[in-house]
Amino acid sequence: SLAVRSFAQYGVEGLKDVLVGPCAVAYGGDNIVDLAKTLADWEKKLDKMEVKGGYMEGQVLDGVQAKAVAKMKTRVELQGEVIMLAKSPGSRLASAINSPASTIAGCIKTIIDNQEEAA
């Protein structure tokens, strides 16, 4: 009850249902997804540990929602996917342009090699 009152002083409301019984509060990390993944890993390792809920961007999460956050992709992973999607058409175009040129260069090299052997 002391933790619920303390959080309420900072504008974090609705944790009364989550903070029931013996609890620990975890915070930190680069982002919420990394923290959720770390807690999910520890929950698998420790039999008595249970993720009861969470608080993210002004919203109270129950245990199921908190565990779902651990399955989300991190910001860095999402940025990487966007970059790959943006880069993909350009790399395909470069490949299409270079492919005929490399074929022609291979043919020219074969002709030169054949003429050198004949000489």
Side-chain angles (χ1 to χ4, degrees), residues 11 22 26 48 96 118:
K48 300 205 182 215

Side-chain angles (χ1 to χ4, degrees), residues 28-95:
D30 293 334
N31 57 57
I32 190 71
V33 177
D34 287 338
L35 178 61
K37 286 181 181 187
T38 301
L39 291 174
D41 289 342
W42 276 106
E43 186 178 25
K44 291 175 188 173
K45 293 176 187 176
L46 302 173
D47 295 335
K48 300 205 182 215
M49 184 177 163
E50 173 191 2
V51 176
K52 292 183 177 182
Y55 187 81
M56 182 173 72
E57 297 188 16
Q59 191 173 28
V60 177
L61 308 174
D62 63 10
V64 175
Q65 292 170 325
K67 290 174 188 175
V69 171
K71 296 176 184 172
M72 294 172 62
K73 294 182 180 181
T74 64
R75 181 179 179 160
V76 173
E77 291 171 338
L78 291 173
Q79 287 174 338
E81 284 186 13
V82 169
I83 290 170
M84 288 302 296
L85 290 172
K87 183 181 157 188
S88 180
S91 64
R92 284 192 207 140
L93 178 63
S95 175

